[in-house]
Amino acid sequence: MKDFERDANGKVLFALEKLKETTTKAKEKRDKKNWNEISLPFSLADGLNNLTRDELNSIRRRLEIKNASSLKKAELIALLQEKIPALIEKSFLPFDKDRLNLIKNIGKRGGYITVPTLEDFQIEYFRSLGLLFSGTLEENKVIVMPEEIVEQSANLVTNLSILSIVQRNTNWIKLTHGLLYYYGSLSITELIKMLENYLKEPLDVAEYLSVIDAAAIYYREIRINQYGFSNARVFDPERVKQEQQKRMGVAFYPFSKDQLLIAGEPGYVERNESYKQFVNFLTQNYTISRKEADGIVEECVYATQIGENSSDILQFLQSRIELNDFHTIQACMAMVVNLMNNTRVWFLKGHTASELSALEQKELQPLQTVKNKRIGRNDPCPCGSMKKYKKCCGK
């Protein structure tokens, strides 16, 4: 039996090692492609020739160029060289301020910048529009704009019509991110209704969906599925919706527009008082940095949002810090409970457990008042059973 277990464990370790090796090789291959040597001036042909036919077709589809699926690679490159400059304004229409400012900065610096804090998938987003390409210039990783579109881009980033659309898109994206940060998952109907309430005007749904689809690709903060829209960290949107529907009598927590815009920033985490207290507790009692402590508490918040109980969270903590004695466990559990009671939970429609408990007590208050009144023995029982008081609660 032990030999069998050793053999099984060996196979698992071997499989994991092979997976790690494959992942490393894939990254090395991707990096080699993304950061190959380039020179200036840089043209559309330079960027497009470095792409595969599938990647060229991706640009064609993104720009909605018709009747070109059967073209050979050289023909497709020639077509894209013509169409990308002609369709550049269309490419700008889903932008928010962050993307427009990036384009603006690149234009100001002569068409390229040393790589900013962009993820690989964000670089891929711009490449799939034929707007920006990556490479290595004089041993520096850079993002470069083809020379054919530098001047057009410079004109578009100051165009008043484009700036108005970008401001609108920025509000749409941040409000959507904020709503999903607090509520987890929303149906399209719920989301549209909420947005119209905050915007104080009807929403052009087709334009909105186009903008949010592009934002979902660029930021990876939300997912779109058969249940509607979800925060990227929601792994079971069906359960979130089921839990919310169990609380039909509970309204979604009424966040202000400013709260949502703040929560709509990429990577936002609500660090309330209970969150800060837990971080302080960890840094004071364990030899860990504030950044490490913050990461642990953030995971505890996430565990609360997905419906984990306090025992589950304590078990997670035991994998990260030492809980050797009863006193330490008790102190840590007090922090966990305090955090859980004051964390806004997707299942609770953005309420904290403490808020919902107070709300439920308030709703029960009228029943308590009725009970304090003098009830005749032959009066209907106030519990709603339709029986006389003397035959029900008055026995």
Side-chain angles (χ1 to χ4, degrees), residues 180 184-185 223 230-237 240 302 306 346:
L180 296 174
S185 294
R223 294 196 182 99
S230 296
N231 180 281
R233 297 199 77 174
V234 174
F235 67 85
D236 190 353
V240 173
Y302 173 57
I306 64 173
W346 299 330

Side-chain angles (χ1 to χ4, degrees), residues 255-303:
F255 295 101
S256 70
K257 186 176 180 180
D258 285 343
Q259 283 177 301
L260 296 177
L261 291 173
I262 291 169
E265 293 289 344
Y268 174 80
V269 178
E270 184 177 307
R271 293 174 171 85
N272 59 22
E273 196 56 38
S274 62
Y275 188 108
K276 293 173 185 175
Q277 288 173 3
F278 202 170
V279 170
N280 289 337
F281 171 83
L282 291 174
T283 55
Q284 289 167 8
N285 290 278
Y286 296 93
T287 311
I288 57 175
S289 68
R290 194 163 193 84
K291 184 178 180 181
E292 290 173 312
D294 187 87
I296 290 171
V297 178
E298 184 181 344
E299 287 303 313
C300 292
V301 166
Y302 173 57

Side-chain angles (χ1 to χ4, degrees), residues 144-160:
V144 60
M145 181 183 295
E147 60 180 345
E148 294 96 323
I149 60 175
V150 172
E151 187 176 345
Q152 278 181 282
S153 296
N155 291 332
L156 285 170
V157 296
T158 58
N159 181 290
L160 293 179

Side-chain angles (χ1 to χ4, degrees), residues 83-150:
K83 292 292 186 181
I84 288 170
L87 296 171
I88 187 170
E89 184 171 342
K90 182 179 180 179
S91 297
F92 276 51
L93 294 180
F95 282 6
D96 59 355
K97 283 184 177 179
D98 285 351
R99 278 169 281 175
L100 191 76
N101 286 338
L102 178 64
I103 296 290
K104 186 177 181 179
N105 289 337
I106 290 173
K108 280 182 176 179
R109 288 166 173 75
Y112 75 96
I113 57 172
T114 303
V115 175
T117 53
L118 287 181
E119 301 288 348
D120 285 349
F121 59 82
Q122 292 177 316
I123 295 171
E124 168 60 28
Y125 167 84
F126 282 112
R127 188 165 54 226
S128 72
L129 293 170
L131 294 179
L132 301 177
F133 296 86
S134 58
T136 301
L137 179 66
E138 297 175 355
E139 300 185 354
N140 291 314
K141 290 182 177 179
V142 298
I143 302 295
V144 60
M145 181 183 295
E147 60 180 345
E148 294 96 323
I149 60 175
V150 172

